[in-house]
Structures are given as structure tokens and as C-alpha cells.
Amino acid sequence: MNNEPRITLVGAGPGDADLITLKGIKALKTADVVLYDALANEELLEFAPAHAEKIYVGKRSGDHSYSQDAVNKLLVDYAINYGHVVRLKGGDPFVFGRGYEELDYAAAHNIPAQVIPGVSSSISVPGLQHIPVTHRGLSESFWVVTGTTSSGNISNDVYEAARSRATIVVLMGIHKLAEIVEIFKKEDKHKLPVAIIQNGSTAKEKLAIGVVDTIVEIAKKDEITSPAIIVFGEVVALHPLFQSRRKLYDAVTRK
């Protein structure tokens, strides 16, 4: 092929194929190769031309089919040999997506690259459940933090966030839920509303809702697993399901 090498990082959105941007669709339609993650909806591959190579590169909790270094090298190799490579990443490429590492690697090899932002699950998934991350009188800001660092530990930012009055959205934290909840308990936030949303925006979406004191038990009962986001904050109380849970919790604690 004589196509000029180039790379486009495309945010695929939170899961629902309809939530990718129009610009992202246009990029897919001109792709010679698509490298896609586990969290990118495979329905989106249908927008790529029939001749385009579609390469699954994993990148999900417990599923690291390719290391980040391997993905970087594949991006450049395919661009040189095929032309336009679309890197399709779940959510937004720059929200815990390691997009800048891929951008930087492309630049180091003189491969032109552009970024097409995606709809981040950190805002959109709660929003689809009618949970705003900010609301007048309840939350003046929001934090988006990772629950688990590359070393497997809880991020120090979670401790800082728990001290604030902001809405806290935790990504990649479901496997550390019990430990994260303990951090909020130590800040005396036992009754702070919490929502966990699994597979947000998709047909497989599940919701667990409660307070800091009860959410671990509720998530276990509802069999919540990854991928899921955790939302701590008074804004969760705006969800209709929370009202019934609060009445039950208050009744139990009064006994």
C-alpha cells in the first residue's frame, strides 16, 4: 500500500455504540487498521472498511493481552506498513486510557497522530442513571480517581478525595471496594450515598445503590463485577432507588 502512515486515537465512549462521536465514526470509515480494546464496543468495527485489519489488544482488568509497550509498537508498525491506524479506546483516550503514551510514541517515530475525544464513563454513566456529578447545594466539584494503581495498590488520591465534599467517581476500583469503603468510614462518612454501575450504558447494565456502611453487602448480593464505576457523594441521593434504601437503612439503625 502507498497510504501515508498516520494514527488516530479515538474515544469509543462508555459502551453504547451510539455514544461515539461523529468525528470518531468518520475516522473509522477511513481506517486501514483498527486496534481496539475490550471496553470498546465491537459493533463500532462495522464502520471500518471491509479491507481494514481489526486487531484486538485487550487492556481490561485481568485481561492484558498485550502490554502497553507492545501496543505502542503495533501502532507504529501497522501505520508504516498499512497507512491509517485507528486506536479505538473505551471512554476517552486521556482518562486513564494511557492515550498520551501512545501519542508520545508515535511522535518519537515521526508518525502524525491526532486525538478524537470520547464520552468518558466517569460523567456519562452516572448521568445516564440521572445522577449528576455536580448539583447546586450538594456538590460543587467532582474528582475522578483510579481505584487501583499500576502497582496494585489503592491510589493515595482516594484518601485525599474521601476528605473532600466533592462527588468522587472511582474507576477501576471494584476489586478494592471493601478497602475503599473503609477509607470513607475513617472519615466518618458512614451514611454517604454510594452507587456502583456495572457495564454502564449497555444492555448488561447493573446498578447497586446504598450508603458507605451497606454498599459492600449490596454489591455482593447483586453480584456486581467489573467493569464498573463507583460514585460516592450526596448527588447519589437524587436517584429514586436511593430513597427507599435510605428508609430501610434508617429503620434498621434505629433498632
Side-chain angles (χ1 to χ4, degrees), residues 89-228:
K89 303 171 75 70
D92 180 271
F94 286 174
V95 181
F96 301 119
R98 304 184 72 173
Y100 191 81
E101 294 176 43
E102 297 170 357
L103 200 67
D104 195 42
Y105 193 86
H109 290 79
N110 299 311
I111 306 293
Q114 68 168 324
V115 178
I116 299 177
V119 177
S120 174
S121 63
S122 60
I123 300 172
S124 62
V125 167
L128 289 167
Q129 281 286 346
H130 296 193
I131 299 173
V133 291
T134 62
H135 184 71
R136 183 177 296 180
L138 291 180
S139 176
E140 297 176 356
S141 62
F142 65 95
W143 293 44
V144 180
V145 297
T146 179
T148 309
T149 64
S150 58
S151 63
N153 298 318
I154 292 177
S155 169
N156 287 332
D157 287 346
V158 175
Y159 293 86
E160 295 295 329
R163 298 186 186 104
S164 78
R165 297 182 62 187
T167 302
I168 313 302
V169 181
V170 182
L171 306 184
M172 299 173 288
I174 193 65
H175 297 300
K176 299 280 189 180
L177 177 62
E179 295 173 61
I180 292 170
V181 161
E182 286 302 316
I183 294 170
F184 281 83
K185 286 181 179 179
K186 288 178 180 178
E187 298 300 327
D188 199 26
K189 295 187 176 180
H190 298 267
K191 291 190 177 183
L192 184 70
V194 188
I196 306 176
I197 308 165
Q198 176 186 330
N199 290 312
S201 83
T202 74
K204 297 180 179 180
E205 182 171 282
K206 294 174 70 175
L207 171 70
I209 202 162
V211 295
V212 166
D213 270 351
T214 64
I215 194 62
V216 172
E217 180 182 345
I218 291 169
K220 184 177 181 180
K221 179 178 67 71
D222 293 345
E223 299 182 335
I224 300 295
T225 60
S226 63

Side-chain angles (χ1 to χ4, degrees), residues 30-108:
T30 64
D32 297 302
V33 178
V34 181
L35 299 185
Y36 65 100
D37 285 351
L39 295 179
N41 194 321
E42 292 190 18
E43 291 178 26
L44 295 172
L45 300 178
E46 297 174 9
F47 290 101
H51 74 267
E53 298 282 341
K54 288 93 172 177
I55 314 296
Y56 172 74
V57 291
K59 311 300 290 180
R60 150 183 259 169
S61 176
D63 174 17
H64 299 287
S65 299
Y66 290 85
S67 68
Q68 187 61 52
D69 285 344
V71 172
N72 293 344
K73 291 173 182 176
L74 284 174
L75 280 169
V76 168
D77 288 346
Y78 275 114
I80 291 171
N81 290 289
Y82 286 82
H84 184 205
V85 178
V86 168
R87 178 71 171 100
L88 191 62
K89 303 171 75 70
D92 180 271
F94 286 174
V95 181
F96 301 119
R98 304 184 72 173
Y100 191 81
E101 294 176 43
E102 297 170 357
L103 200 67
D104 195 42
Y105 193 86

